[in-house]
Amino acid sequence: MHINSTSFSIRCMTHFLLQCRLSCVVLWKVYVLSMLTFLSFNVAAQDDFKPKFGVVDRADVEMAAFQGDSSAAAVYLYDFGEVTYRYDDIRGLVMVMESWIRIKILKESALDRASVAINTYEGSGPENQELMDDIQGFTYNMENGQLVRTAMDRKSIKREKATGKYYTYKFNLANARKGSVIEYSYRRTTPLTVRDKPSPWTFQASVPSKWSEFRITIPFFLEYKTTMSGYLPLYISEQEPTDVHVGSSRLNGRGVAYRFVVKDAPAFVNEPFITTESDYLSKVNFELSVIQVPGEISKHFSNTWDDVEKTLNEANWFGVELRKSSFLKAKRDEIMQTAKTPEEKMEMAYRHLQSHMKWDGSSFLGSRDGVRKAYENKAGNATEVNLILTSLLRELDLNADPVILSTRSNGRFLKEIPLLESCNYVISHVEVAGKEYFLDATQPYAKLGLLPEHTLNGYGRLIPKKGSGRFLDIKPLDSQTKLEMVNANILPEDGSIKGNYSISFAGYEALRWRDKYVKEADDIYHEVLKKRSPEWKISNIAVKNKNEDLKGAVNVACDFELEDENASPDLFYFNPILAGRWESNPLKSKERIYPLDFTSGMSESFIGNYKLPAGYVLEEMPKAEIVSLPEKAGKFVYQVRQSGDMIQVSSVIVLSKTNFHAEEYHDVKEFFERVVQKHAQPLVIKKKAN
């Protein structure tokens, strides 16, 4: 009876897991940046660290600041997790996660770490419920020269309803204050019907970590695809065969024990020019690939991209919806009567969806209530909008297919790992006369082919109607482009500068401006312009081409007057970069281990034409500056010219490369620093001597 019960439970579990992989994959997310093969090697020569729960070093409690990062509010002294598997007569196969955290509190801002909240899933029936038990903790303080340990009051543990089928266990570490060391441990038991893989183990946090360790022992009947992501090296990486006692004679046997350690991990700082935090954090991930129980049919969960495409094309929420296009026939006929070329068909279809539908801001694969309903409601998620666009393009006899991708906030798209759950967005791909176009109709103010910045994340996968798909390089069509101009008179005797100013927004700068201000009243942007230059007296603001021609730039012009109360009639100082000035370097860190991702190229230009009054001259002509990044990745040109009573100042900053390796960080930082230095340089106008 015991063996039969086990067999029945395992069959139910494998069936459940298979169904999850086929029908529920859109709900899961996995982020992986780089692939590493974990090799077993001898670490006997390395310093190991195996503390004892309930016992801390006096030096850790006395520590006033962390030597590796004096700004740290806290530091993980020990962060440990271990996963094992066992068989339960009621719950079937379960994962058991033992966790142990020890933290040094260095600043009062980190005291919230002494209040712990852990979510658990509790579905219907014990076989679908996670259990939390063996919660214990201590706080350590120095009092009158003595190390004092305070145990956590178990009565402080609370179990509260969260949302849906989730509950939260909450507890507080007693007597925690600045200078304390706190530690706690707990055990979480998760049926494999709830989750078939361990949660990713992250070796980095928002504060430094001296020792982060993860262990897992995988029994012979489970196979996982193990991947490592991030930029920190493993201090220890071990694997060794071992005997595994799961608790069932059919399931006991051999297995493999893994141990991964990262030592002295710096705090993760959310630096500028990255995609999303999860792309950079060092972590280990597991994906179930095979479950093979003796006497039962093995189940393989590893997908190929062909499997992904087949799943999508057959899914009711994707491929089936893509083929429901009868509601578009009237619009198709209307376009066919007007358009004379395939390019016109494409543009008219794109413009129609842009104006007809409103994106609701959500990003996931699949249609909620069907594309027809979304079209009738004139609103839908990104997948619905662009599936409808693709269907309309196909109705117009154009070669159009959807492309799945991962947005920047969702994490990198990895060609090496065919997982639907890593994708959360759809755009449309069209081929006309041998030329490829990427279209996204969620953006009402984007010109044809200009993808929104959140989609510019490396690659996508084309899902064709027939045949095999392919990977596509999702590159920006345009740059972030601004041109600012000032034409002004220098009036030293009045201590003022008077003239007119204009700015032109193109490419992604135009899209950003239109997204913010097209639907706003004119005075909203007028106030923004005035706040941007509070020292200016601005009048006669005019905006041209708000959205009349999306291919063209947005143009703003105004008159201005700038007064300097400290100016002297004999000597007049002013910074000629009156607008668009780089006042600080956006790259602050001395070192960086992460690459730079600028989303798209950049072009920022400033031209200032200044007329001097009679009797005044430029005291000294500044040297021209030309700074270039290697391989024509970027260029900064600064120049001052004088012709008669006219002074022209020009600054041009161009980044043509969008991604830089960490090894190139210092070059880019120095490039920006030279821009800041030159933009801070004043001109001096003086009165000619009689």
Side-chain angles (χ1 to χ4, degrees):
M1 285 298 293
H2 179 69
I3 292 177
N4 289 339
S5 174
T6 304
S7 177
F8 176 77
S9 179
I10 294 169
R11 281 197 298 273
C12 289
M13 182 199 70
T14 54
H15 174 76
F16 174 85
L17 293 176
L18 181 62
Q19 293 303 310
C20 262
R21 301 294 289 193
L22 293 179
S23 62
C24 301
V25 288
V26 295
L27 302 178
W28 299 347
K29 293 181 181 177
V30 175
Y31 309 103
V32 183
L33 193 71
S34 59
M35 299 289 292
L36 296 178
T37 301
F38 294 116
L39 301 177
S40 176
F41 54 87
N42 191 340
V43 297
Q46 295 174 288
D47 293 332
D48 209 339
F49 183 52
K50 296 181 178 179
K52 183 178 179 181
F53 190 77
V55 180
V56 298
D57 291 336
R58 184 186 183 100
D60 288 335
V61 185
E62 292 177 335
M63 182 197 309
F66 181 53
Q67 186 175 3
D69 183 354
S70 59
S71 66
V75 58
Y76 280 91
L77 301 174
Y78 192 58
D79 187 16
F80 177 86
E82 182 172 14
V83 171
T84 56
Y85 294 81
R86 63 181 174 83
Y87 178 77
D88 183 296
D89 287 335
I90 297 175
R91 293 174 177 81
L93 278 169
V94 297
M95 286 186 295
V96 180
M97 174 72 166
E98 303 272 0
S99 297
W100 172 10
I101 296 94
R102 180 178 290 175
I103 303 173
K104 169 68 179 184
I105 306 295
L106 294 166
K107 297 180 180 180
E108 290 185 358
S109 59
L111 281 173
D112 58 349
R113 294 179 183 271
S115 298
V116 184
I118 303 165
N119 290 328
T120 60
Y121 180 85
E122 299 186 22
S124 57
E127 71 279 5
N128 294 310
Q129 293 182 354
E130 286 188 292
L131 297 180
M132 280 282 295
D133 63 352
D134 199 21
I135 300 172
Q136 51 185 322
F138 296 102
T139 303
Y140 306 86
N141 290 298
M142 296 302 301
E143 296 180 5
N144 300 319
Q146 299 295 314
L147 196 160
V148 177
R149 186 181 79 172
T150 305
M152 181 186 72
D153 184 357
R154 294 188 59 81
K155 293 181 180 179
S156 72
I157 302 172
K158 306 295 182 183
R159 174 179 170 273
E160 299 177 359
K161 176 76 172 177
T163 58
K165 296 181 180 180
Y166 286 90
Y167 285 78
T168 302
Y169 283 80
K170 295 182 178 180
F171 54 91
N172 296 311
L173 282 303
N175 205 24
R177 56 181 182 262
K178 178 183 175 182
S180 298
V181 170
I182 59 172
E183 74 173 339
Y184 56 92
S185 65
Y186 60 89
R187 177 169 55 228
R188 183 206 301 259
T189 301
T190 305
L192 263 69
T193 51
V194 172
R195 190 169 60 250
D196 67 354
K197 60 187 176 185
S199 298
W201 179 265
T202 302
F203 296 99
Q204 260 182 305
S206 58
V207 297
S209 175
K210 292 185 69 174
W211 189 277
S212 180
E213 177 173 340
F214 181 72
R215 296 179 179 230
I216 182 171
T217 301
I218 302 176
F220 71 95
F221 54 85
L222 294 176
E223 290 183 20
Y224 286 95
K225 182 184 293 182
T226 307
T227 58
M228 181 75 185
S229 65
Y231 296 87
L232 298 179
L234 285 170
Y235 182 69
I236 295 175
S237 176
E238 295 177 324
Q239 66 178 56
E240 60 178 352
T242 186
D243 290 326
V244 178
H245 297 281
V246 175
S248 166
S249 58
R250 295 184 64 205
L251 301 178
N252 294 337
R254 299 293 282 170
V256 180
Y258 295 86
R259 184 185 183 206
F260 307 119
V261 175
V262 169
K263 184 172 180 269
D264 296 326
F268 179 81
V269 179
N270 200 339
E271 300 186 59
F273 310 118
I274 68 172
T275 50
T276 188
E277 183 176 300
S278 63
D279 280 340
Y280 301 86
L281 285 169
S282 290
K283 59 184 180 294
V284 61
N285 294 273
F286 297 89
E287 278 298 318
L288 183 63
S289 58
V290 178
I291 180 166
Q292 189 168 11
V293 177
E296 304 218 3
I297 299 174
S298 63
K299 301 294 182 183
H300 292 259
F301 301 117
S302 292
N303 286 328
T304 65
W305 281 109
D306 286 339
D307 295 330
V308 170
E309 291 159 22
K310 185 175 185 293
T311 297
L312 282 173
N313 278 321
E314 294 176 357
N316 290 330
W317 38 265
F318 196 93
V320 174
E321 289 295 324
L322 187 59
R323 294 187 285 275
K324 294 178 180 178
S325 58
S326 59
F327 64 95
L328 295 170
K329 294 189 184 301
K331 178 53 65 175
R332 174 204 64 187
D333 293 343
E334 179 185 324
I335 293 174
M336 292 289 275
Q337 290 175 3
T338 305
K340 296 181 175 61
T341 65
E343 289 83 1
E344 288 180 356
K345 291 180 185 178
M346 173 178 62
E347 180 144 8
M348 290 181 71
Y350 174 67
R351 297 295 178 214
H352 169 65
L353 265 298
Q354 263 189 316
S355 60
H356 180 81
M357 292 197 70
K358 179 181 174 64
W359 177 38
D360 65 10
S362 61
S363 302
F364 59 90
L365 293 185
S367 173
R368 286 194 189 95
D369 301 314
V371 293
R372 180 168 191 150
K373 186 173 181 180
Y375 186 78
E376 291 172 349
N377 291 338
K378 299 183 178 182
N381 62 47
T383 297
E384 289 168 333
V385 172
N386 288 319
L387 284 183
I388 295 170
L389 173 60
T390 304
S391 293
L392 180 55
L393 292 166
R394 287 178 175 179
E395 284 286 333
L396 292 166
D397 298 325
L398 296 177
N399 183 13
D401 293 303
V403 176
I404 60 171
L405 54 81
S406 176
T407 58
R408 294 174 67 83
S409 63
N410 190 58
R412 292 287 186 195
F413 178 94
L414 290 162
K415 297 188 290 185
E416 299 83 0
I417 303 178
L419 289 173
L420 262 184
E421 52 264 39
S422 67
C423 300
N424 70 325
Y425 203 89
V426 171
I427 60 174
S428 186
H429 172 272
V430 196
E431 189 172 341
V432 176
K435 186 176 180 181
E436 293 183 305
Y437 297 85
F438 293 119
L439 304 181
D440 184 347
T442 65
Q443 308 299 302
Y445 307 115
K447 65 183 180 182
L448 183 79
L450 186 70
L451 292 176
E453 290 175 283
H454 57 256
T455 67
L456 302 178
N457 197 25
Y459 301 94
R461 180 76 179 184
L462 185 75
I463 310 298
K465 188 188 302 185
K466 294 180 181 179
S468 295
R470 58 189 171 98
F471 296 110
L472 298 171
D473 196 355
I474 310 295
K475 293 181 178 179
L477 176 71
D478 218 325
S479 297
Q480 308 166 50
T481 304
K482 285 192 298 187
L483 169 61
E484 297 179 86
M485 295 187 68
V486 167
N487 293 287
N489 293 311
I490 306 296
L491 304 171
E493 293 186 353
D494 295 339
S496 67
I497 301 174
K498 293 181 181 180
N500 58 72
Y501 162 77
S502 65
I503 181 169
S504 175
F505 299 99
Y508 284 102
E509 289 287 355
L511 181 58
R512 291 174 193 166
W513 192 96
R514 287 172 171 139
D515 281 342
K516 285 184 180 179
Y517 303 115
V518 163
K519 291 187 177 180
E520 299 287 354
D522 290 345
D523 57 354
I524 298 295
Y525 180 68
H526 292 181
E527 290 302 314
V528 170
L529 187 60
K530 290 175 181 178
K531 287 180 180 178
R532 198 187 72 171
S533 302
E535 69 278 11
W536 291 13
K537 293 180 181 178
I538 293 178
S539 60
N540 302 321
I541 301 174
V543 179
K544 294 183 179 179
N545 193 28
K546 269 190 169 184
N547 65 333
E548 292 82 1
D549 176 15
L550 297 181
K551 296 177 183 177
V554 177
N555 298 297
V556 180
C558 68
D559 296 329
F560 76 95
E561 180 178 349
L562 173 61
E563 294 184 354
D564 184 354
E565 295 178 354
N566 299 316
S568 163
D570 297 322
L571 209 60
F572 186 81
Y573 292 83
F574 79 104
N575 189 316
I577 310 294
L578 289 182
R581 185 187 311 156
W582 283 43
E583 296 183 342
S584 63
N585 192 333
L587 301 178
K588 308 293 186 187
S589 301
K590 291 183 180 179
E591 302 293 335
R592 178 162 168 153
I593 63 174
Y594 315 115
L596 292 156
D597 186 328
F598 287 93
T599 311
S600 63
M602 179 182 70
S603 176
E604 293 188 9
S605 301
F606 173 85
I607 299 174
N609 296 301
Y610 302 100
K611 185 175 182 180
L612 300 182
Y616 285 84
V617 294
L618 180 62
E619 183 178 59
E620 182 180 355
M621 181 67 68
K623 291 182 180 179
E625 182 96 4
I626 300 178
V627 184
S628 297
L629 287 170
E631 301 178 359
K632 299 181 180 180
K635 192 170 187 178
F636 168 55
V637 179
Y638 179 91
Q639 195 168 24
V640 179
R641 298 187 183 95
Q642 182 171 6
S643 177
D645 61 354
M646 291 298 300
I647 298 173
Q648 184 179 80
V649 179
S650 64
S651 167
V652 178
I653 308 163
V654 175
L655 274 183
S656 53
K657 184 177 175 180
T658 58
N659 296 93
F660 293 85
H661 298 298
E663 295 77 13
E664 301 172 287
Y665 173 72
H666 289 289
D667 287 341
V668 181
K669 184 179 181 183
E670 176 62 22
F671 177 84
F672 288 165
E673 195 60 38
R674 298 280 285 275
V675 174
V676 172
Q677 291 172 4
K678 209 63 184 178
H679 278 198
Q681 193 174 76
L683 295 183
V684 181
I685 308 300
K686 69 176 184 178
K687 201 168 190 177
K688 292 180 183 177
N690 293 328

